[in-house]
Amino acid sequence: MSTFNFETTPRVICEIDGALRLGTLCRELKAERVLLVSDPGLLRAGLLDAPLRALREAGVEATLYSDVQADPPSESVQDAVDAARNCRAQAVIGLGGGSSLDTAKLVALLCGREQALESIYGINLAQGPRLPLIQVPTTAGTGSEVTAVAIVTTPSHEKKGVVSPLLYPDIALLDARLTVGLPAAVSAMTGIDAMVHAIEAYTSAHKKNVLSDGLAMQALRLLAGNLDRVLATPGDLPARSDMLLGSMLAGMAFANSPVAAVHALAYPLGGHFHVPHGLSNALVLVPVLNFNRPAAEALYAQLAAAVLPGQRFASEALACDAFIEFMTRLVERMPFAQRLRDVGVTADDLDHLTDDAMKVERLLINNPRPVTRQDARAIYASVL
Amino acid sequence: MNYEFRSVPRIVCEAGALHSVGKVLKDLGAQRVMLVCDPGIVSLGFAVKAQASLEVAGCAVTVFDQVVPDPSSAVVKEAAEQARQFKADGVLGLGGGSSLDAAKLVALLINSEQPLEELYGTDKALGQRVPLVLVPTTAGTGSEVTWVSVITDEQQRKQAVYSSQLMPDVAVLDPQLTLGLPPRVTAATGLDAMVHAIEAYTSRTRKNPIADGLASAALGLLSANLRKVLANGQDVAARTAMLQGSLMAGMAFVNASVAAIHGLAYPLGARFHIPHGHANALVMAPVLRFNLSAAQSQYAELATYLLPGRHFEHEAEAAEAFVQAIEVLVADSGLETRLSKLGVDEPALTEMANSVVVNLRRLIDSNPRDMTEQDVEALYRSIF
């Protein structure tokens, strides 16, 4: 598309042990008191000790909120906001997976300007200014550190999103050291999730643009080249670093060129069967690629150059084949469930899943090939 | 492996976007805007359009239209003084690199107590600039996405200000503004943008994967469209691609550095007033050939973007094809390629060579192959 609007995080720092610089960065943002938003797992793993120490050594008064839960409930966001108010935080640091980063976004927003969380669900309803915000992802991953969306779960178990450019942080800090302890299954799921972001951004039907294309292509190159490496050698820092970077670039791409049918079909699996987001995406990825092929052959052929660098293909069709084949084999060798039945789905659930997937119209409209109800059901059935 | 990447937070790309710059500034909170441009922009009627857009959005406007190429410190000070008197709280830069560079400094100086001279160098600026929107009318300098301003001081020396404060809030690309560019300007600025992409990709100091992704995508766009816009300046799609490529190359080089091509070009601009793009075009091909032995694998990688679809048996062949393609492109550009035809005298070659290795060391340091003073002089002589 030659007409586009592109928004992103103004500053990215990619540095091993960069989390030890958080104190200096807070000072640059003129904050002397900060709230660090994270989750109990990272606290137990001891990953918060060094960043907290670094903050305090820099003379920054750091208060820890480490009660973020997966798919953060709105009440827990409110708790975090209260914690920030109580310590009179002048800045917010999100350190963790997508849930911690999403919570941190909302804390920075709600503490920067008095407004009710319920009143800002939707697009561009939030008002600024927000508090200064630094995001430090510990999975590679969601890309949440460079997206303008935060998702919460309401008391009635609905997922609600806040979408606003105010949610882009001041700084995204990528520190590969924080990701070396990720279990193989988590590395695999989040890695495939990031690849799905890049693929769907590159083939998005309406908002695809030269910047999102360039970023998605580079993201896929990095992710495809390093996912096997981090699974084989979890402590491989350069590979971990490239995964974080690939995930972030994919985030920058899909923040501006939105995801499509893979995500639409994945959401109901998370909602009904509590399948982790990355795994849900991985389960439906290959059948969606095969389904999209008639409409996306040329684009998938271009992506073959990213996942199979240096290879030549005699035709676009063969390049497209090679791309889908590469993704199929990659997903197959990942250490996680491969079929819907492995995560508790039965044939009786397919209609219900299909109904819910068809409701995610905001994403389905981005798919390169229109998806009918029958199509969606057939995709689920093919991986039952 | 450790690096920082800064980006303009928002990019708008749309034919006719100049008509909506008023709203863009208004949304940033500006009420009283100074438009910074040059007399050419006024006579083309662009200034009036920008002014009308600002007034429709409810902003008061003052116009400073006295920017000159390689703007002097006196011009910048004069513009800043007028902006202060007008109580401007927003700046719109509209034009080529000179106008955009001047606009950046005006936005910074409005609320600053520091004299301009104190800003020369890296991170010297203490103040907070007012909202800043930049609209390039060449494709180009990439100045709309960089945090650098280059001006000429009272002793006729080039001075650069590097500050994160100079990064604008929004870069607006409107291909309509570039349709009327004369072929000479189109060629010089287009080759300049290609140099940005190439030197960023091969930078020895700050090359990084984000810049790589942007630079390679930029080079693909620029090389696929430069001949098109030279053949038909009214080709809106190709003009759009040139602006996009120039912007992406700007994002790449400001985060990765440029190198010896810029190093050799600067004295040609400072002493002989050869326009910056043309100066780069003059030294581009000889420097690439000089670098070939050290940069072979990177040039081979770039060959896949410059010459898509071409197959090479080995790296050396691809790298050679890359350099040859640039040589042909420069020769076909219609630009004068001999220094002696552009008013450069022979004794100046020795002096300029000395000035490059002494004053522009940081650019030589980023070059893939080291360069002695003799090397520089020999390169100048080869195009004398």
Side-chain angles (χ1 to χ4, degrees):
Chain A
M1 293 296 141
S2 56
T3 293
F4 64 83
N5 182 58
F6 184 91
E7 295 175 342
T8 198
T9 302
R11 187 175 175 198
V12 174
I13 298 173
C14 185
E15 185 173 329
I16 289 167
D17 294 323
L20 303 181
R21 271 179 55 195
L22 280 169
T24 323
L25 295 173
C26 286
R27 292 240 161 237
E28 277 183 41
L29 295 173
K30 303 193 171 43
E32 292 173 0
R33 294 181 302 276
V34 303
L35 184 75
L36 178 66
V37 177
S38 189
D39 68 50
L42 290 171
L43 179 64
R44 267 196 310 277
L47 278 182
L48 306 180
D49 298 344
L52 281 171
R53 201 180 317 121
L55 282 163
R56 286 166 187 157
E57 277 169 8
V60 175
E61 201 179 298
T63 304
L64 176 63
Y65 177 86
S66 61
D67 292 330
V68 172
Q69 302 160 40
D71 305 315
S74 51
E75 312 93 275
S76 97
V77 171
Q78 208 55 58
D79 286 348
V81 169
D82 292 342
R85 292 221 173 97
N86 287 337
C87 72
R88 295 181 300 130
Q90 295 165 317
V92 179
I93 299 171
L95 193 153
S99 300
S100 292
L101 304 192
D102 279 10
T103 302
K105 289 175 186 176
L106 294 170
V107 172
L109 194 56
L110 297 175
C111 291
R113 180 154 181 154
E114 194 83 33
Q115 53 199 325
L117 178 55
E118 299 71 35
S119 71
I120 60 172
Y121 295 144
I123 297 170
N124 288 339
L125 298 176
Q127 296 199 308
R130 61 155 170 74
L131 294 185
L133 175 63
I134 303 176
Q135 297 281 39
V136 190
T138 58
T139 61
T142 62
S144 175
E145 69 277 14
V146 289
T147 69
V149 187
I151 309 278
V152 296
T153 308
T154 66
S156 54
H157 301 286
E158 268 183 293
K159 292 246 184 181
K160 290 282 189 183
V162 177
V163 182
S164 163
L166 290 163
L167 297 180
Y168 289 111
D170 297 287
I171 302 174
L173 172 63
L174 309 182
D175 178 356
R177 184 84 67 191
L178 300 172
T179 66
V180 293
L182 282 176
V186 177
S187 296
M189 290 172 195
T190 51
I192 296 289
D193 187 24
M195 293 179 83
V196 172
H197 293 154
I199 296 167
E200 295 211 286
Y202 196 82
T203 56
S204 196
H206 304 292
K207 293 191 176 172
K208 170 183 170 64
N209 61 72
V210 288
L211 272 164
S212 65
D213 282 355
L215 295 166
M217 190 67 106
Q218 183 71 332
L220 203 58
R221 206 175 279 139
L222 290 163
L223 296 164
N226 289 282
L227 183 50
D228 286 322
R229 280 176 62 191
V230 298
L231 292 177
T233 317
D236 184 336
L237 278 171
R240 288 287 191 187
S241 190
D242 281 350
M243 288 301 292
L244 266 177
L245 179 61
S247 163
M248 187 203 70
L249 294 174
M252 287 176 158
F254 91 82
N256 291 284
S257 177
V259 293
V262 177
H263 275 74
L265 269 73
Y267 280 136
L269 295 170
H272 295 296
F273 298 93
H274 301 287
V275 180
H277 174 69
L279 178 56
S280 307
N281 274 324
L283 285 166
V284 295
L285 170 61
V286 172
V288 173
L289 293 179
N290 282 308
F291 170 79
N292 285 344
R293 189 195 162 120
E297 184 177 274
L299 296 174
Y300 289 161
Q302 289 160 20
L303 290 177
V307 300
L308 297 161
Q311 275 203 33
R312 290 183 69 212
F313 306 100
S315 68
E316 202 168 81
L318 288 172
C320 175
D321 284 346
F323 171 71
I324 295 177
E325 175 74 10
F326 176 91
M327 291 308 302
T328 306
R329 298 288 159 255
L330 181 67
V331 171
E332 265 174 15
R333 63 179 180 267
M334 290 294 115
F336 52 57
Q338 297 287 326
R339 311 288 304 184
L340 295 185
R341 71 174 91 92
D342 301 336
V343 295
V345 179
T346 67
D348 295 342
D349 300 314
L350 294 188
D351 284 323
H352 195 33
L353 285 174
T354 306
D355 288 340
D356 279 7
M358 294 312 288
K359 286 182 197 153
V360 195
E361 204 191 343
R362 70 185 169 88
L363 298 185
L364 288 173
I365 56 163
N366 300 317
N367 203 54
R369 183 177 169 194
V371 182
T372 65
R373 194 179 182 288
Q374 290 87 320
D375 296 330
R377 196 179 189 288
I379 289 168
Y380 281 131
S382 73
V383 284
L384 183 62
Chain B
M1 201 156 48
N2 295 341
Y3 53 87
E4 278 201 38
F5 189 91
R6 288 179 189 267
S7 167
V8 65
R10 184 173 176 212
I11 297 156
V12 176
C13 177
E14 186 173 1
L18 185 62
H19 295 287
S20 50
V21 286
K23 182 173 174 351
V24 173
L25 267 146
K26 187 79 181 175
D27 287 349
L28 292 167
Q31 314 257 358
R32 302 179 63 78
V33 176
M34 171 175 264
L35 168 60
V36 177
C37 63
D38 65 35
I41 295 299
V42 173
S43 57
L44 286 165
F46 297 161
V48 168
K49 283 183 184 160
Q51 195 169 353
S53 168
L54 285 159
E55 282 163 358
V56 166
C59 295
V61 190
T62 186
V63 181
F64 181 88
D65 60 7
Q66 295 303 310
V67 177
V68 292
D70 305 313
S72 65
S73 51
V75 164
V76 171
K77 285 180 191 172
E78 172 62 23
E81 187 47 40
Q82 287 186 24
R84 281 196 206 100
Q85 278 172 14
F86 182 70
K87 298 195 175 15
D89 59 7
V91 172
L92 174 63
L94 174 64
S98 299
S99 291
L100 304 193
D101 279 11
K104 290 174 182 176
L105 289 171
V106 171
L108 184 56
L109 289 169
I110 285 176
N111 288 334
S112 174
E113 317 245 295
Q114 289 177 290
L116 178 57
E117 289 74 19
E118 263 181 35
L119 304 177
Y120 299 158
T122 302
D123 289 333
K124 300 283 166 55
L126 303 173
Q128 182 85 30
R129 67 154 171 75
V130 300
L132 174 65
V133 175
L134 298 180
V135 188
T137 57
T138 62
T141 63
S143 176
E144 71 277 11
V145 289
T146 72
W147 61 89
V148 190
S149 271
V150 180
I151 58 168
T152 308
D153 72 11
E154 275 139 33
Q155 284 78 45
Q156 298 301 308
R157 291 173 307 198
K158 292 255 183 179
Q159 297 284 0
V161 179
Y162 293 85
S163 164
S164 57
Q165 285 293 317
L166 295 182
M167 185 71 96
D169 296 295
V170 185
V172 176
L173 303 184
D174 180 353
Q176 303 282 4
L177 307 178
T178 64
L179 296 183
L181 283 175
R184 225 165 356 94
V185 178
T186 301
T189 50
L191 289 170
D192 186 23
M194 291 178 74
V195 171
H196 293 154
I198 296 167
E199 295 209 291
Y201 195 87
T202 58
S203 168
R204 220 170 13 151
T205 47
R206 290 190 290 136
K207 175 180 171 71
N208 67 74
I210 309 179
D212 285 351
L214 292 164
S216 51
L219 194 63
L221 281 168
L222 294 165
S223 61
N225 289 282
L226 182 54
R227 285 177 195 279
K228 286 188 194 168
V229 292
L230 287 175
N232 173 15
Q234 299 293 315
D235 183 337
V236 179
R239 288 288 194 188
T240 305
M242 289 301 292
L243 270 174
Q244 292 169 341
S246 165
L247 174 138
M248 292 165 79
M251 289 172 89
F253 91 78
V254 77
N255 286 288
S257 181
V258 286
I261 297 175
H262 276 72
L264 270 67
Y266 278 135
L268 295 171
R271 280 186 66 154
F272 299 100
H273 303 287
I274 298 173
H276 174 69
H278 191 178
N280 270 327
L282 281 162
V283 296
M284 178 182 190
V287 171
L288 293 181
R289 186 152 291 290
F290 174 87
N291 288 346
L292 185 55
S293 58
Q296 179 173 296
S297 67
Q298 290 170 346
Y299 288 169
E301 286 160 19
L302 290 177
T304 60
Y305 299 94
L306 196 73
L307 303 162
R310 278 268 295 274
H311 175 62
F312 305 103
E313 290 303 326
H314 47 75
E315 198 176 88
E317 186 194 340
E320 174 61 31
F322 170 77
V323 175
Q324 273 181 25
I326 296 287
E327 286 167 344
V328 172
L329 190 60
V330 174
D332 290 352
S333 70
L335 294 171
E336 175 54 56
T337 56
R338 311 306 303 182
L339 297 183
S340 52
K341 300 266 179 64
L342 291 160
V344 179
D345 54 283
E346 202 177 350
L349 302 183
T350 316
E351 291 159 34
M352 288 193 302
N354 177 262
S355 150
V356 169
V357 294
V358 173
N359 301 325
L360 297 166
R361 190 72 239 169
R362 67 187 169 83
L363 296 179
I364 301 301
D365 286 344
S366 290
N367 200 54
R369 183 177 163 194
D370 201 18
M371 252 181 213
T372 64
E373 194 171 333
Q374 289 71 31
D375 292 331
V376 178
E377 189 174 334
L379 284 163
Y380 278 137
R381 288 198 183 281
S382 75
I383 52 167
F384 184 69

PDB file of all heavy atoms in Angstrom, chain B residues 329-351:
ATOM      1  N   LEU B 329      24.582   3.069 -13.096  1.00  0.00           N
ATOM      2  CA  LEU B 329      23.494   3.937 -12.649  1.00  0.00           C
ATOM      3  C   LEU B 329      23.971   5.383 -12.522  1.00  0.00           C
ATOM      4  O   LEU B 329      23.289   6.316 -12.974  1.00  0.00           O
ATOM      5  CB  LEU B 329      22.972   3.430 -11.297  1.00  0.00           C
ATOM      6  CG  LEU B 329      21.684   4.046 -10.762  1.00  0.00           C
ATOM      7  CD1 LEU B 329      20.528   3.804 -11.717  1.00  0.00           C
ATOM      8  CD2 LEU B 329      21.352   3.455  -9.386  1.00  0.00           C
ATOM      9  N   VAL B 330      25.145   5.579 -11.943  1.00  0.00           N
ATOM     10  CA  VAL B 330      25.683   6.943 -11.796  1.00  0.00           C
ATOM     11  C   VAL B 330      25.963   7.533 -13.180  1.00  0.00           C
ATOM     12  O   VAL B 330      25.625   8.694 -13.450  1.00  0.00           O
ATOM     13  CB  VAL B 330      26.964   6.941 -10.928  1.00  0.00           C
ATOM     14  CG1 VAL B 330      27.596   8.330 -10.910  1.00  0.00           C
ATOM     15  CG2 VAL B 330      26.649   6.482  -9.506  1.00  0.00           C
ATOM     16  N   ALA B 331      26.561   6.719 -14.057  1.00  0.00           N
ATOM     17  CA  ALA B 331      26.880   7.217 -15.404  1.00  0.00           C
ATOM     18  C   ALA B 331      25.608   7.602 -16.149  1.00  0.00           C
ATOM     19  O   ALA B 331      25.582   8.584 -16.896  1.00  0.00           O
ATOM     20  CB  ALA B 331      27.650   6.151 -16.175  1.00  0.00           C
ATOM     21  N   ASP B 332      24.532   6.840 -15.940  1.00  0.00           N
ATOM     22  CA  ASP B 332      23.269   7.103 -16.639  1.00  0.00           C
ATOM     23  C   ASP B 332      22.453   8.225 -15.997  1.00  0.00           C
ATOM     24  O   ASP B 332      21.418   8.620 -16.524  1.00  0.00           O
ATOM     25  CB  ASP B 332      22.384   5.836 -16.638  1.00  0.00           C
ATOM     26  CG  ASP B 332      22.951   4.754 -17.544  1.00  0.00           C
ATOM     27  OD1 ASP B 332      23.924   5.048 -18.269  1.00  0.00           O
ATOM     28  OD2 ASP B 332      22.429   3.625 -17.516  1.00  0.00           O
ATOM     29  N   SER B 333      22.892   8.693 -14.824  1.00  0.00           N
ATOM     30  CA  SER B 333      22.050   9.624 -14.061  1.00  0.00           C
ATOM     31  C   SER B 333      21.988  11.007 -14.692  1.00  0.00           C
ATOM     32  O   SER B 333      21.127  11.814 -14.363  1.00  0.00           O
ATOM     33  CB  SER B 333      22.577   9.753 -12.634  1.00  0.00           C
ATOM     34  OG  SER B 333      23.812  10.469 -12.647  1.00  0.00           O
ATOM     35  N   GLY B 334      22.930  11.289 -15.594  1.00  0.00           N
ATOM     36  CA  GLY B 334      22.936  12.604 -16.207  1.00  0.00           C
ATOM     37  C   GLY B 334      23.717  13.624 -15.391  1.00  0.00           C
ATOM     38  O   GLY B 334      23.853  14.787 -15.800  1.00  0.00           O
ATOM     39  N   LEU B 335      24.245  13.218 -14.247  1.00  0.00           N
ATOM     40  CA  LEU B 335      25.015  14.150 -13.422  1.00  0.00           C
ATOM     41  C   LEU B 335      26.446  14.240 -13.941  1.00  0.00           C
ATOM     42  O   LEU B 335      27.013  13.240 -14.385  1.00  0.00           O
ATOM     43  CB  LEU B 335      25.036  13.663 -11.971  1.00  0.00           C
ATOM     44  CG  LEU B 335      23.697  13.663 -11.237  1.00  0.00           C
ATOM     45  CD1 LEU B 335      23.850  12.953  -9.891  1.00  0.00           C
ATOM     46  CD2 LEU B 335      23.195  15.083 -11.044  1.00  0.00           C
ATOM     47  N   GLU B 336      27.044  15.429 -13.849  1.00  0.00           N
ATOM     48  CA  GLU B 336      28.457  15.599 -14.182  1.00  0.00           C
ATOM     49  C   GLU B 336      29.284  14.718 -13.257  1.00  0.00           C
ATOM     50  O   GLU B 336      29.032  14.665 -12.053  1.00  0.00           O
ATOM     51  CB  GLU B 336      28.848  17.075 -14.009  1.00  0.00           C
ATOM     52  CG  GLU B 336      30.319  17.371 -14.204  1.00  0.00           C
ATOM     53  CD  GLU B 336      30.839  16.853 -15.545  1.00  0.00           C
ATOM     54  OE1 GLU B 336      30.282  17.220 -16.583  1.00  0.00           O
ATOM     55  OE2 GLU B 336      31.806  16.050 -15.531  1.00  0.00           O
ATOM     56  N   THR B 337      30.276  14.002 -13.827  1.00  0.00           N
ATOM     57  CA  THR B 337      31.019  13.059 -12.997  1.00  0.00           C
ATOM     58  C   THR B 337      32.490  13.455 -12.800  1.00  0.00           C
ATOM     59  O   THR B 337      33.239  12.726 -12.157  1.00  0.00           O
ATOM     60  CB  THR B 337      30.975  11.640 -13.611  1.00  0.00           C
ATOM     61  OG1 THR B 337      31.479  11.720 -14.950  1.00  0.00           O
ATOM     62  CG2 THR B 337      29.555  11.085 -13.637  1.00  0.00           C
ATOM     63  N   ARG B 338      32.927  14.578 -13.377  1.00  0.00           N
ATOM     64  CA  ARG B 338      34.334  14.979 -13.208  1.00  0.00           C
ATOM     65  C   ARG B 338      34.426  16.198 -12.295  1.00  0.00           C
ATOM     66  O   ARG B 338      33.735  17.210 -12.506  1.00  0.00           O
ATOM     67  CB  ARG B 338      34.989  15.347 -14.558  1.00  0.00           C
ATOM     68  CG  ARG B 338      34.810  14.365 -15.703  1.00  0.00           C
ATOM     69  CD  ARG B 338      35.206  12.961 -15.426  1.00  0.00           C
ATOM     70  NE  ARG B 338      36.594  12.794 -14.995  1.00  0.00           N
ATOM     71  CZ  ARG B 338      37.149  11.605 -14.730  1.00  0.00           C
ATOM     72  NH1 ARG B 338      36.444  10.491 -14.846  1.00  0.00           N
ATOM     73  NH2 ARG B 338      38.394  11.532 -14.341  1.00  0.00           N
ATOM     74  N   LEU B 339      35.330  16.138 -11.334  1.00  0.00           N
ATOM     75  CA  LEU B 339      35.502  17.260 -10.406  1.00  0.00           C
ATOM     76  C   LEU B 339      35.963  18.518 -11.133  1.00  0.00           C
ATOM     77  O   LEU B 339      35.527  19.626 -10.807  1.00  0.00           O
ATOM     78  CB  LEU B 339      36.533  16.899  -9.331  1.00  0.00           C
ATOM     79  CG  LEU B 339      36.189  15.731  -8.407  1.00  0.00           C
ATOM     80  CD1 LEU B 339      37.286  15.557  -7.351  1.00  0.00           C
ATOM     81  CD2 LEU B 339      34.847  15.960  -7.723  1.00  0.00           C
ATOM     82  N   SER B 340      36.850  18.334 -12.121  1.00  0.00           N
ATOM     83  CA  SER B 340      37.409  19.511 -12.801  1.00  0.00           C
ATOM     84  C   SER B 340      36.329  20.306 -13.532  1.00  0.00           C
ATOM     85  O   SER B 340      36.469  21.511 -13.727  1.00  0.00           O
ATOM     86  CB  SER B 340      38.507  19.077 -13.778  1.00  0.00           C
ATOM     87  OG  SER B 340      38.000  18.065 -14.634  1.00  0.00           O
ATOM     88  N   LYS B 341      35.240  19.630 -13.900  1.00  0.00           N
ATOM     89  CA  LYS B 341      34.153  20.326 -14.594  1.00  0.00           C
ATOM     90  C   LYS B 341      33.245  21.074 -13.614  1.00  0.00           C
ATOM     91  O   LYS B 341      32.315  21.763 -14.016  1.00  0.00           O
ATOM     92  CB  LYS B 341      33.295  19.326 -15.381  1.00  0.00           C
ATOM     93  CG  LYS B 341      34.057  18.553 -16.448  1.00  0.00           C
ATOM     94  CD  LYS B 341      33.924  19.238 -17.785  1.00  0.00           C
ATOM     95  CE  LYS B 341      34.693  18.527 -18.887  1.00  0.00           C
ATOM     96  NZ  LYS B 341      34.192  17.193 -19.169  1.00  0.00           N
ATOM     97  N   LEU B 342      33.478  20.862 -12.325  1.00  0.00           N
ATOM     98  CA  LEU B 342      32.586  21.449 -11.321  1.00  0.00           C
ATOM     99  C   LEU B 342      33.303  22.511 -10.501  1.00  0.00           C
ATOM    100  O   LEU B 342      32.889  22.863  -9.398  1.00  0.00           O
ATOM    101  CB  LEU B 342      32.052  20.345 -10.394  1.00  0.00           C
ATOM    102  CG  LEU B 342      31.082  19.381 -11.096  1.00  0.00           C
ATOM    103  CD1 LEU B 342      30.964  18.070 -10.331  1.00  0.00           C
ATOM    104  CD2 LEU B 342      29.710  20.038 -11.228  1.00  0.00           C
ATOM    105  N   GLY B 343      34.411  23.015 -11.063  1.00  0.00           N
ATOM    106  CA  GLY B 343      35.093  24.129 -10.400  1.00  0.00           C
ATOM    107  C   GLY B 343      36.122  23.712  -9.366  1.00  0.00           C
ATOM    108  O   GLY B 343      36.683  24.555  -8.672  1.00  0.00           O
ATOM    109  N   VAL B 344      36.386  22.418  -9.258  1.00  0.00           N
ATOM    110  CA  VAL B 344      37.387  21.977  -8.286  1.00  0.00           C
ATOM    111  C   VAL B 344      38.768  22.141  -8.922  1.00  0.00           C
ATOM    112  O   VAL B 344      38.984  21.730 -10.062  1.00  0.00           O
ATOM    113  CB  VAL B 344      37.152  20.500  -7.900  1.00  0.00           C
ATOM    114  CG1 VAL B 344      38.223  20.029  -6.909  1.00  0.00           C
ATOM    115  CG2 VAL B 344      35.756  20.323  -7.318  1.00  0.00           C
ATOM    116  N   ASP B 345      39.704  22.760  -8.169  1.00  0.00           N
ATOM    117  CA  ASP B 345      41.051  22.923  -8.716  1.00  0.00           C
ATOM    118  C   ASP B 345      41.965  21.837  -8.162  1.00  0.00           C
ATOM    119  O   ASP B 345      41.733  21.307  -7.075  1.00  0.00           O
ATOM    120  CB  ASP B 345      41.598  24.311  -8.393  1.00  0.00           C
ATOM    121  CG  ASP B 345      41.535  24.587  -6.910  1.00  0.00           C
ATOM    122  OD1 ASP B 345      40.412  24.886  -6.410  1.00  0.00           O
ATOM    123  OD2 ASP B 345      42.575  24.462  -6.241  1.00  0.00           O
ATOM    124  N   GLU B 346      43.022  21.546  -8.916  1.00  0.00           N
ATOM    125  CA  GLU B 346      43.853  20.403  -8.566  1.00  0.00           C
ATOM    126  C   GLU B 346      44.536  20.519  -7.207  1.00  0.00           C
ATOM    127  O   GLU B 346      44.564  19.532  -6.453  1.00  0.00           O
ATOM    128  CB  GLU B 346      44.872  20.136  -9.679  1.00  0.00           C
ATOM    129  CG  GLU B 346      45.358  18.711  -9.606  1.00  0.00           C
ATOM    130  CD  GLU B 346      46.328  18.349 -10.723  1.00  0.00           C
ATOM    131  OE1 GLU B 346      46.473  19.158 -11.658  1.00  0.00           O
ATOM    132  OE2 GLU B 346      46.923  17.273 -10.628  1.00  0.00           O
ATOM    133  N   PRO B 347      45.097  21.672  -6.860  1.00  0.00           N
ATOM    134  CA  PRO B 347      45.744  21.758  -5.537  1.00  0.00           C
ATOM    135  C   PRO B 347      44.786  21.435  -4.390  1.00  0.00           C
ATOM    136  O   PRO B 347      45.207  20.955  -3.331  1.00  0.00           O
ATOM    137  CB  PRO B 347      46.191  23.221  -5.457  1.00  0.00           C
ATOM    138  CG  PRO B 347      46.238  23.702  -6.861  1.00  0.00           C
ATOM    139  CD  PRO B 347      45.212  22.918  -7.621  1.00  0.00           C
ATOM    140  N   ALA B 348      43.504  21.679  -4.612  1.00  0.00           N
ATOM    141  CA  ALA B 348      42.524  21.423  -3.549  1.00  0.00           C
ATOM    142  C   ALA B 348      42.435  19.940  -3.210  1.00  0.00           C
ATOM    143  O   ALA B 348      42.073  19.580  -2.089  1.00  0.00           O
ATOM    144  CB  ALA B 348      41.155  21.939  -3.968  1.00  0.00           C
ATOM    145  N   LEU B 349      42.788  19.073  -4.170  1.00  0.00           N
ATOM    146  CA  LEU B 349      42.622  17.635  -3.925  1.00  0.00           C
ATOM    147  C   LEU B 349      43.447  17.193  -2.726  1.00  0.00           C
ATOM    148  O   LEU B 349      42.974  16.451  -1.865  1.00  0.00           O
ATOM    149  CB  LEU B 349      43.028  16.839  -5.177  1.00  0.00           C
ATOM    150  CG  LEU B 349      42.275  17.179  -6.469  1.00  0.00           C
ATOM    151  CD1 LEU B 349      42.740  16.260  -7.603  1.00  0.00           C
ATOM    152  CD2 LEU B 349      40.768  17.068  -6.277  1.00  0.00           C
ATOM    153  N   THR B 350      44.705  17.659  -2.665  1.00  0.00           N
ATOM    154  CA  THR B 350      45.587  17.285  -1.560  1.00  0.00           C
ATOM    155  C   THR B 350      45.040  17.817  -0.240  1.00  0.00           C
ATOM    156  O   THR B 350      44.991  17.105   0.763  1.00  0.00           O
ATOM    157  CB  THR B 350      46.998  17.867  -1.812  1.00  0.00           C
ATOM    158  OG1 THR B 350      47.332  17.632  -3.176  1.00  0.00           O
ATOM    159  CG2 THR B 350      48.012  17.223  -0.907  1.00  0.00           C
ATOM    160  N   GLU B 351      44.610  19.064  -0.263  1.00  0.00           N
ATOM    161  CA  GLU B 351      44.101  19.666   0.976  1.00  0.00           C
ATOM    162  C   GLU B 351      42.832  18.961   1.456  1.00  0.00           C
ATOM    163  O   GLU B 351      42.652  18.705   2.640  1.00  0.00           O
ATOM    164  CB  GLU B 351      43.798  21.154   0.742  1.00  0.00           C
ATOM    165  CG  GLU B 351      45.043  22.000   0.538  1.00  0.00           C
ATOM    166  CD  GLU B 351      44.719  23.309  -0.173  1.00  0.00           C
ATOM    167  OE1 GLU B 351      43.603  23.857   0.052  1.00  0.00           O
ATOM    168  OE2 GLU B 351      45.562  23.753  -0.969  1.00  0.00           O
TER     169      GLU B 351
END
